[in-house]
Amino acid sequence: MARALDLLAACEAFVAVADRESFTTGAQGADITQSVASRRIAALEAHLGGRLFERSSRRVALTAFGRAVLPGAIRLVVAAQEFADDADHAAALPVTLAVPRHVSPSAAARVCAAAADHALTVELLEGAPRERAEWLAVGRAELVLQHVEPDRAEWTTPLGVGFAGGSASDEAPFFLAELRPRRGTPERRRLWLQPEDDVPSVRDRLEHVRNGAGLVAGHLRFATSLVTAIARAISDGDLVLCTRAEAQEAELAWHPLGDLHLVRGYALLHRDSELADRLRDASGELLAELVGTTRTGVSAPRSAPEHDAR
């Protein structure tokens, strides 16, 4: 059974030999051996039903038939090269990864470098959870590290409260009822949430416990940024909902919540599952580092019951 003709490869050999008027140098130009060039051109002649070259011991010349079909062969070769160039260009386009605000520059750089080692150019776009969800929906970001419910999370880290002036070594549980005014403290201390934690899985549970503790709405406030929340803790004696790492970075004392277990959980949401897998494979544990977590794997839902504040 005759082998199927590779028309592009045959045309590449035909164009190279015609351009150089030599099977030897033409084959070199096409990066093939002379015997391969001869076989491909012979196959092309059989396919087209006419001789392409007049061969003599001194030179190779196009036949009238060869001259007639050469422009079409050139167009095919050029189009194939342009197609390959377009594919290379598309593969080199950056992938936009939406991430939380204020990620560590060094962690971000390591993710981008690891991706580049796997032929994946990544650009980061920082925003709040609501912004990141919108960017994914409208196609502005192909990948999003999104704050999700704990049972959907690939990476999690506990949330607690940070406040200024406490002992960094004392991590006794903090109960929201302690926000009630008491002697020696400001008239009303408030717990500030940064934009990253203004999501239903965190906000709604805190409001539930706040209401059960007999606190008013003003005890739970929403800051425009983590910096603003920390500033409130430093200047007003308020508290900030944050991770232990964020508290340490701001030189705040950190306590876990005693009323309920809250985690900041992340999942890599995407518009292209293959692209998401490529980034996971390329970056490994670096994505966990980027979002300030140390635990990987989809976490099981917490079974510990929530308790009303005292």
Side-chain angles (χ1 to χ4, degrees):
M1 179 181 295
R3 297 178 58 186
L5 174 68
D6 183 340
L7 186 59
L8 175 59
C11 285
E12 288 175 339
F14 171 39
V15 171
V17 171
D19 184 51
R20 294 165 177 81
E21 296 183 343
S22 165
F23 273 80
T24 300
T25 56
Q28 292 172 347
D31 197 24
I32 54 179
T33 64
Q34 180 175 343
S35 60
V36 170
S38 296
R39 286 199 300 272
R40 289 180 180 177
I41 290 173
L44 183 60
E45 288 175 332
H47 178 74
L48 297 176
R51 291 186 60 79
L52 298 171
F53 295 105
E54 295 290 349
R55 301 169 175 84
S56 70
S57 58
R58 300 180 57 182
R59 64 189 293 267
V60 172
L62 285 166
T63 64
F65 178 73
R67 286 193 297 273
V69 298
L70 179 61
I74 293 174
R75 287 195 297 272
L76 178 61
V77 171
V78 170
Q81 185 58 56
E82 290 177 345
F83 179 68
D85 291 344
D86 289 345
D88 290 343
H89 178 70
L93 288 176
V95 174
T96 301
L97 170 64
V99 299
R101 290 174 177 164
H102 312 303
V103 294
S104 161
S106 59
R110 283 192 287 274
V111 168
C112 294
D117 286 343
H118 290 71
L120 193 60
T121 303
V122 173
E123 290 185 349
L124 302 185
L125 183 62
E126 295 188 7
R130 193 170 302 175
E131 293 173 311
R132 303 200 300 269
E134 180 180 348
W135 293 338
L136 182 66
V138 300
R140 185 177 177 187
E142 290 88 356
L143 301 171
V144 171
L145 281 169
Q146 187 63 300
H147 190 161
V148 298
E149 295 83 358
D151 60 351
R152 296 175 54 205
E154 298 175 65
W155 307 277
T156 62
T157 191
L159 287 169
V161 296
F163 63 93
S167 170
S169 61
D170 178 13
E171 294 193 0
F174 178 86
F175 294 86
L176 260 64
E178 297 177 42
L179 292 174
R180 293 171 182 156
R182 60 183 179 178
R183 183 176 300 176
T185 64
E187 182 177 352
R188 175 188 291 177
R189 290 194 302 170
R190 297 159 294 189
L191 176 61
W192 289 88
L193 270 68
Q194 55 180 294
E196 188 59 29
D197 297 320
D198 186 10
V199 295
S201 61
V202 172
R203 181 187 59 240
D204 294 353
R205 297 181 68 196
L206 273 175
E207 290 178 343
H208 175 75
V209 174
R210 177 201 62 192
N211 296 338
L215 302 173
V216 299
H219 280 109
L220 190 61
R221 302 292 298 272
F222 298 90
T224 56
S225 69
L226 174 60
V227 173
T228 300
I230 293 173
R232 291 291 188 177
I234 295 173
S235 62
D236 301 339
D238 287 343
L239 298 98
V240 181
L241 188 75
C242 60
T243 67
R244 181 185 283 107
E246 289 171 339
Q248 290 173 344
E249 176 67 22
E251 299 182 345
L252 301 177
W254 188 86
H255 292 253
L257 289 167
D259 304 285
L260 72 170
H261 181 81
L262 284 180
V263 299
R264 189 181 295 162
Y266 287 99
L268 183 62
L269 307 186
H270 55 79
R271 299 171 63 87
D272 181 336
S273 60
E274 182 180 351
L275 185 60
D277 289 341
R278 285 181 62 194
L279 180 63
R280 287 191 185 94
D281 292 342
S283 57
E285 299 297 318
L286 295 175
L287 287 179
E289 181 183 342
L290 180 63
V291 290
T293 65
T294 56
R295 196 151 46 110
T296 59
V298 176
S299 62
R302 293 287 300 182
S303 57
E306 298 179 8
H307 303 286
D308 290 340
R310 294 174 299 179

